[in-house]
């Protein structure tokens, strides 16, 4: 059987996708020939691409994410583009955890729109200078894919927000789903242009590309592929409300390793696979795996970390020290609590403001002394919900400052603008406590950044004559991904404003010795579990999961998102009809065991009585003296005995073998196993 698959077979049955623009010149392929799945029934077939050796002799990894780790801007003369690395990108940082000799190629979209006639030149520049392959999405596809399905469906749902009304979250729109699939298909085409399937690993990131594994698995059955989800994964009761729930689960299961930040997120995913797909997982020697048609899909639990080198280099900058001194003068005599959040409906910023207000009411000693500096990063999305939360935050800030403010003192300092890491580090340095009250967040690395900044540079690099006490305090929501790893933080339920207020008071009232102990514990974890550690750990598990890929015989079966790979032992041979007929003819004694429901009768049949055609076939089989025919079923003995009374030579094992008879005239007897205790 020739197993050939093409990505266009994943077009949804609901309609064709719009044309993606004119046919563009493809990038030079890194592989020597186009990848075509080989004849897998041939014993000598050991390649999933071609019989021609690949031009790559060492492993590479292709990092696929929604956005490339580069910044793009028009040149001043408006003739072309200039590009630079995005030093804040996680995709760029994770290179530190990969083997030094491993080549890394990035596939993703740009943050800017590039004209069609410029796309080929931009692609060539990015590939040659940055090893980046841009995926250009048509504007209409991008709007529906990112602002539509990603931000209006997946993002709210994964953060436990259900669309209860058309005005609250928005109803499911199939055209947005089709755009999401179309965008993932474009990403897959860009990966295929540069991939060498026998040598490359593919690492896909986040909820924007959850169906990409299906496209790539169809094209390269034995491709080594991992996926990491950077957002929460909701409980099965929430996830099951998604109309395309099974399509996404099945697509993800085409990856070899699926990663999550926390055990809870992984547990929810496994629960969804169990309840919706009937799959069970196994845990062996610390590894969790899902058995899926002969393949073991690994489950990785590892929270991402920060880039230690980047933050430590920022701490050495002179302008950071200048800003620290300026902030110390501004907040002289004040105790600063700090919040750093994206302007997002799930960050719980207003709950934090309400907790600050409550703390000032319950503990008047902090009036005139405690200041909450709230830094709000620009919103990534848009919509009515976001506008409402922004208005609510502004109203709370005004009310609290009007109530507790006085000349020279405002309890709430709200900073609503983009802020560099250098300036953020200055605020971390003067903050006695960082407060995170997100109602749901995938990871949130702000507490990690704060801890490292409070540690500062090593004493040998510091200009200070006397060593300073290293201390920090954290009040964090129990609903964020980093919470389990910060055992010294004060965990709160952000919806409980009074409890959060008391936690904030406890944090800034705690003695310095206790703060130092908690800080040391946190810093030890954060500094050793950085982004390089996370990437190295994930990649090692991906290598382990894929080590037997090219030893197994695989077949791709199924249509659309029902596509999956069936993996079998190298010694497995398909049973052909000719082989069965030949063995049947040669044998002198045969045992034929027949199930009833689902075999002789359809599972969906309302009338369970066997038809005359079934009775005729059973009698024909049992009429051969060389055959011993048994019907095995969980049904009761009375029903089976009545239905098959015309079959005189048929044995029946009723009620899962509890009652048995060998022929019609014999009574049923109990078959009870005896165990010696």
């Amino acid at each position: 059987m020739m197993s050939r698959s093409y990505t266009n077979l994943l077009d949804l049955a609901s309609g064709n996708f719009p044309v993606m623009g004119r046919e563009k010149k493809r990038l030079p392929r890194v592989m020597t020939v186009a990848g075509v799945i080989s004849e897998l029934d041939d014993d000598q077939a050991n390649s999933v691409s071609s019989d021609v050796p690949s031009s790559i002799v060492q492993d590479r990894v292709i990092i696929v994410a929604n956005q490339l780790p580069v910044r793009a801007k028009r040149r001043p003369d408006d003739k072309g583009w200039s590009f630079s690395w995005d030093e804040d990108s996680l995709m760029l940082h994770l290179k530190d955890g990969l083997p030094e000799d491993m080549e890394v190629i990035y596939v993703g979209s740009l943050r800017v729109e590039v004209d069609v006639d410029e796309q080929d030149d931009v692609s060539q520049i990015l590939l040659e200078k940055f090893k980046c392959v841009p995926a250009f999405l048509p504007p209409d596809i991008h709007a529906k894919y990112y602002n539509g399905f990603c931000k209006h469906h997946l993002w709210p749902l994964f953060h436990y927000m259900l669309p209860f009304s058309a005005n609250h979250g928005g109803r499911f729109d199939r055209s947005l789903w089709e755009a999401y699939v179309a965008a993932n298909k474009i990403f897959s085409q860009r990966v295929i242009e540069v991939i060498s399937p026998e040598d490359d690993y593919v690492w896909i990131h986040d909820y924007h590309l959850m169906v990409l594994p299906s496209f790539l698995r169809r094209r390269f059955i034995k491709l080594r592929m991992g996926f990491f989800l950077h957002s929460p994964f909701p409980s099965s009761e929430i996830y099951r409300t998604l109309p395309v729930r099974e399509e996404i689960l099945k697509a993800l299961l085409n990856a070899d390793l699926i990663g999550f930040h926390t055990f809870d997120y992984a547990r929810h995913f496994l629960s969804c696979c169990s309840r919706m797909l009937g799959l069970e997982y196994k845990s062996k020697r610390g590894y969790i795996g899902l058995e899926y048609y002969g393949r073991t899909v690994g489950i990785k639990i590892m929270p991402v970390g920060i880039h230690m080198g980047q933050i430590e280099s920022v701490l050495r900058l002179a302008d950071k020290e200048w800003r620290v001194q300026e902030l110390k003068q501004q907040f002289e005599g004040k105790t600063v609590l700090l919040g750093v959040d994206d302007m997002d409906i799930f960050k719980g910023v207003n709950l934090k403001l309400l907790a600050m207000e409550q703390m000032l009411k319950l503990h008047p000693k902090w009036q005139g002394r405690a200041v909450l500096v709230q830094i709000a990063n620009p919103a990534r999305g848009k919509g009515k919900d976001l506008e409402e939360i922004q208005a609510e935050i502004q109203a709370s800030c005004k009310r609290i400052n009007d109530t507790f403010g006085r000349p020279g003192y405002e309890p709430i300092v709200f900073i609503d603008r983009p802020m560099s890491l250098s300036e953020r580090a200055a605020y971390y340095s003067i903050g006695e406590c960082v407060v995170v009250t997100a109602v749901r967040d995938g990871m949130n690395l702000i507490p990690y950044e704060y801890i490292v900044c409070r540690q500062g540079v090593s004493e040998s690099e510091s200009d200070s004559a006397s060593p300073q006490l290293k201390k920090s305090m954290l009040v964090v929501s129990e609903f964020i991904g980093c919470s389990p790893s910060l055992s010294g933080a004060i965990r709160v339920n952000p919806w409980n404003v009074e409890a959060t207020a008391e936690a904030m008071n406890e944090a800034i009232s705690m003695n310095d010795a206790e703060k130092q102990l908690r800080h040391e514990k946190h810093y030890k974890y954060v500094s050793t579990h950085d982004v390089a550690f996370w990437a190295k750990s994930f990649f090692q598990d991906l290598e382990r999961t894929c080590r037997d890929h090219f030893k197994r015989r695989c077949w791709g079966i199924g249509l659309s998102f029902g596509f999956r790979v069936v993996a079998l032992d190298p010694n497995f041979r398909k049973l052909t009809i000719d082989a069965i007929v030949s063995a049947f003819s040669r044998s002198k004694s045969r045992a034929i065991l027949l199930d009833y429901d689902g075999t002789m009768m359809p599972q969906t049949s309302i009338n369970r009585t066997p038809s005359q055609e079934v009775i005729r076939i059973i009698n024909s089989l049992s009429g051969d003296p060389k055959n011993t025919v048994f019907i095995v079923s969980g049904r009761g003995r009375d029903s089976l005995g009545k239905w098959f009374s015309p079959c005189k030579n048929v044995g029946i094992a009723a009620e899962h073998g509890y009652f048995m008879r060998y022929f019609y005239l014999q009574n049923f007897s109990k078959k009870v196993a005896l165990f010696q205790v």
Side-chain angles (χ1 to χ4, degrees), residues 189-408:
Q189 291 167 346
R190 303 305 275 173
V191 173
I192 290 170
E193 288 181 354
V194 295
I195 197 170
S196 178
E198 289 185 350
D199 304 307
D200 294 348
Y201 290 88
V202 176
W203 188 357
I204 304 167
H205 290 267
D206 222 3
Y207 66 97
H208 312 90
L209 303 172
M210 295 179 81
V211 300
L212 180 57
S214 270
F215 286 105
L216 296 178
R217 186 63 70 193
R218 262 193 180 275
R219 192 64 176 82
F220 307 109
I221 285 185
K222 294 186 180 180
L223 180 64
R224 298 172 292 185
M225 178 167 46
F227 177 92
F228 197 94
L229 182 67
H230 293 272
S231 75
F233 195 92
S235 71
S236 59
E237 292 303 307
I238 296 293
Y239 180 79
R240 68 193 301 184
T241 64
L242 185 63
V244 289
R245 60 193 186 182
E246 291 187 9
E247 288 89 334
I248 290 178
L249 287 180
K250 290 177 180 178
L252 285 176
L253 290 171
N254 277 312
D256 297 299
L257 181 66
I258 305 173
F260 302 91
H261 284 308
T262 71
F263 176 76
D264 283 344
Y265 302 161
R267 178 170 55 85
H268 293 158
F269 175 77
L270 294 171
S271 176
C272 288
C273 290
S274 174
R275 296 185 179 189
M276 296 167 207
L277 302 180
L279 303 177
E280 298 298 330
Y281 73 92
K282 295 180 180 179
S283 180
K284 184 178 181 181
R285 284 182 255 177
Y287 297 106
I288 301 174
L290 273 167
E291 292 298 323
Y292 189 58
Y293 292 96
R295 295 171 53 241
T296 299
V297 180
I299 303 298
K300 175 71 174 177
I301 303 169
M302 174 60 67
V304 72
I306 59 174
H307 192 277
M308 290 293 295
Q310 182 193 27
I311 294 181
E312 288 176 346
S313 64
V314 166
L315 294 177
R316 299 185 183 96
L317 296 177
D319 60 341
K320 175 258 178 184
E321 290 299 326
W322 173 82
R323 184 63 173 141
V324 168
Q325 296 304 319
E326 189 178 56
L327 291 174
K328 284 182 177 180
Q329 293 178 4
Q330 180 182 349
F331 297 105
E332 186 177 3
K334 305 292 190 300
T335 299
V336 176
L337 296 97
L338 184 63
V340 182
D341 302 277
D342 293 338
M343 183 53 71
D344 189 293
I345 60 176
F346 300 109
K347 299 302 182 183
V349 174
N350 197 57
L351 294 175
K352 189 187 307 180
L353 298 177
L354 296 177
M356 180 67 179
E357 181 180 32
Q358 188 71 9
M359 187 189 79
L360 295 176
K361 288 179 181 178
L362 297 176
H363 304 278
K365 65 179 181 179
W366 293 116
Q367 294 180 19
R369 295 171 53 199
V371 176
L372 172 62
V373 177
Q374 177 61 50
I375 300 170
N377 300 318
R380 299 180 185 178
K382 55 185 177 181
K384 183 179 179 181
D385 291 333
L386 183 60
E387 293 172 359
E388 290 177 353
I389 202 69
Q390 287 175 320
E392 188 178 349
I393 289 171
Q394 294 294 342
S396 295
C397 289
K398 185 177 185 304
R399 184 185 68 253
I400 297 171
N401 284 336
D402 289 346
T403 303
F404 299 100
R406 62 187 69 166

Side-chain angles (χ1 to χ4, degrees), residues 507-526:
I508 57 180
S509 301
M510 190 175 293
N511 64 71
D512 287 348
E514 179 67 19
K515 290 180 181 179
Q516 183 182 15
L517 287 174
R518 296 185 184 223
H519 170 80
E520 290 174 352
K521 185 177 185 180
H522 289 159
Y523 182 75
K524 183 178 180 180
Y525 173 84
V526 172

Side-chain angles (χ1 to χ4, degrees), residues 394-557:
Q394 294 294 342
S396 295
C397 289
K398 185 177 185 304
R399 184 185 68 253
I400 297 171
N401 284 336
D402 289 346
T403 303
F404 299 100
R406 62 187 69 166
Y409 169 72
E410 283 189 339
I412 306 294
V413 176
F414 190 75
I415 304 173
D416 185 13
R417 61 175 173 82
M419 186 174 289
S420 66
L421 178 57
S422 176
E423 186 176 4
R424 205 159 67 232
Y427 277 96
Y428 289 145
S429 298
I430 59 109
E432 281 296 310
C433 174
V434 156
V435 184
V436 182
T437 54
V439 296
R440 191 72 59 176
D441 208 350
M443 187 58 193
N444 200 313
L445 296 176
I446 295 302
Y448 288 7
E449 290 183 357
Y450 169 67
I451 291 165
V452 175
C453 289
R454 293 289 288 183
Q455 179 72 15
V457 295
S458 62
E459 298 297 338
S460 60
E461 300 180 49
S462 176
D463 295 333
S464 177
S466 58
Q468 296 180 348
L469 185 67
K470 312 293 186 181
K471 57 188 178 70
S472 62
M473 271 307 299
L474 294 166
V475 175
V476 298
S477 165
E478 62 189 58
F479 301 116
I480 63 176
C482 68
S483 176
S485 62
L486 298 171
S487 57
I490 303 176
R491 297 192 185 97
V492 296
N493 174 2
W495 299 103
N496 189 337
V497 173
E498 291 78 11
T500 305
E502 290 298 336
M504 293 165 65
N505 173 63
E506 179 185 354
I508 57 180
S509 301
M510 190 175 293
N511 64 71
D512 287 348
E514 179 67 19
K515 290 180 181 179
Q516 183 182 15
L517 287 174
R518 296 185 184 223
H519 170 80
E520 290 174 352
K521 185 177 185 180
H522 289 159
Y523 182 75
K524 183 178 180 180
Y525 173 84
V526 172
S527 60
T528 55
H529 292 73
D530 60 355
V531 66
F533 178 87
W534 166 77
K536 180 179 180 181
S537 178
F538 184 91
F539 193 76
Q540 286 177 341
D541 275 16
L542 182 59
E543 287 182 312
R544 178 188 57 80
T545 304
C546 301
R547 65 190 172 195
D548 295 330
H549 260 35
F550 298 102
K551 298 179 182 179
R552 293 189 172 189
R553 297 173 62 82
C554 300
W555 284 266
I557 60 174

